Amino acid sequence: MKKFLAIMLAAVMVFAMAGAVMAEEAADDAAVDFEWNGNKEVWAILPTTGVPGLMMHADSMGFDMEKEGWTYAAKDAQGQASAQVEFVEQAISAGNVGALMIAAIDTELLEDVCEQAREAGIAVDMLGASPDYTIAGYIATAYDLTGMYAVEAAEDWVAKRVEEGGDVPTNADGKYEVAVDYFTGLDDGIYRSNAVFGTIEKSDDLVAVSATQAYGNSAYDTAYSNAESALNANPNCRIFICYEPDEAMGIAAAIQSYAEVNGLDLADFCVIPCYSQDPTFLEAVE
């Protein structure tokens, strides 16, 4: 991949992640009626464990907690909000869980069961979501900034590519066409996706012509198929902005095939994921 396509790294990992909120800290908060159960097993309840970037967030927090004497386990909800509810119920029934870190798919659906967990002395923290009910704490993220920076990186790339003589066509309005892979299954995903589309809309040089979603365990294959469709429907499109590295790699493979068939220069294509935390992706762009 590294020899046929300039896959760019947006300004990434601008998350305001300060680490997991310890259950002991929640127990000391006099403003909250909470008594920690003293159990030092923590579960990370995730939408999926098949996305390396998300696992880096969760595992890094688990690693920090293990240094404090906790036992850490990651739970895969496989994209189902109801499964996250079931995992919280299982944590309550298990009797040995003292904290939960949840990347919530649906905060409202989790309200009742999170209250039950709190009553059971389990501290509940959320990643990238701040619900309207009492939890031990949450970790604020800046996914919107990664979306904005990805678009700004695309603007910078196309200006430089055209300046050096590249053939990047425009539409009838003189704008460069962009295909966007987005995701709205989480609050963080909504923030990032809104930032991508909003920044493109404000751009003097770019216009979105395709919007698809490929996030999940089969992201590479879905993104490949989506990119094929986007290219066939928009033959002037040369810029792809995508949610995560898996999608970027699938899109890049589709572009390679498309360029070979149509005799196009791969240097005139650009794929930008909103962050780069994926070992396979990083090896591809070295």
Side-chain angles (χ1 to χ4, degrees):
M1 183 183 301
K2 54 190 169 187
K3 66 181 180 181
F4 71 78
L5 184 66
I7 302 183
M8 301 177 60
L9 305 183
V12 296
M13 290 305 293
V14 291
F15 306 109
M17 276 185 58
V21 178
M22 297 293 104
E24 295 96 327
E25 295 177 359
D28 291 338
D29 189 349
V32 177
D33 181 17
F34 174 74
E35 183 176 350
W36 178 43
N37 62 22
N39 295 321
K40 300 193 76 172
E41 179 159 332
V42 56
W43 290 6
I45 300 176
L46 308 170
T48 176
T49 57
V51 175
L54 178 59
M55 291 309 299
M56 290 182 73
H57 300 333
D59 289 348
S60 65
M61 291 186 290
F63 176 77
D64 284 341
M65 295 188 78
E66 285 178 336
K67 290 192 295 185
E68 300 293 329
W70 290 72
T71 299
Y72 162 72
K75 306 294 182 178
D76 188 343
Q78 298 184 351
Q80 301 298 314
S82 60
Q84 292 194 314
V85 173
E86 292 172 4
F87 277 129
V88 178
E89 292 173 340
Q90 291 171 18
I92 297 169
S93 299
N96 64 339
V97 177
L100 298 172
M101 301 183 296
I102 307 175
I105 297 172
D106 186 335
T107 56
E108 292 184 8
L109 190 64
L110 285 163
E111 181 172 4
D112 289 344
V113 75
C114 282
E115 174 58 23
Q116 294 170 27
R118 192 175 72 85
E119 292 173 355
I122 300 173
V124 178
D125 302 316
M126 289 193 178
L127 171 63
S130 176
D132 294 330
Y133 48 87
T134 300
I135 58 173
Y138 71 96
I139 297 172
T141 59
Y143 272 50
D144 51 346
L145 292 182
T146 64
M148 179 185 72
Y149 291 153
V151 177
E152 291 180 350
E155 290 178 309
D156 183 65
W157 172 83
V158 74
K160 291 179 178 177
R161 181 58 186 159
V162 171
E163 182 179 353
E164 67 187 18
D167 181 16
V168 185
T170 60
N171 67 4
D173 296 324
K175 291 194 172 187
Y176 300 100
E177 297 181 347
V178 183
V180 178
D181 171 88
Y182 70 104
F183 176 64
T184 55
L186 296 169
D187 286 351
D188 279 341
I190 294 172
Y191 302 151
R192 173 180 289 166
S193 299
N194 284 346
V196 169
F197 287 112
T199 308
I200 291 174
E201 185 176 352
K202 292 180 180 178
S203 174
D204 293 331
D205 302 315
L206 307 179
V207 60
V209 295
S210 174
T212 56
Q213 297 194 60
Y215 182 90
N217 292 335
S218 59
Y220 180 101
D221 292 335
T222 305
Y224 185 104
S225 177
N226 289 343
E228 282 187 321
S229 298
L231 287 164
N232 289 328
N234 306 279
N236 287 335
C237 185
R238 297 292 184 271
I239 300 171
F240 289 75
I241 296 174
C242 49
Y243 193 77
E244 291 192 336
D246 271 359
E247 292 90 322
M249 291 184 286
I251 291 167
I255 290 173
Q256 181 182 30
S257 177
Y258 180 83
E260 288 175 353
V261 170
N262 292 279
L264 300 172
D265 187 348
L266 283 164
D268 292 328
F269 289 85
C270 175
V271 181
I272 305 179
C274 289
Y275 72 87
S276 63
Q277 269 53 46
D278 181 301
T280 304
F281 175 81
L282 292 175
E283 290 174 6
V285 298
E286 286 180 350

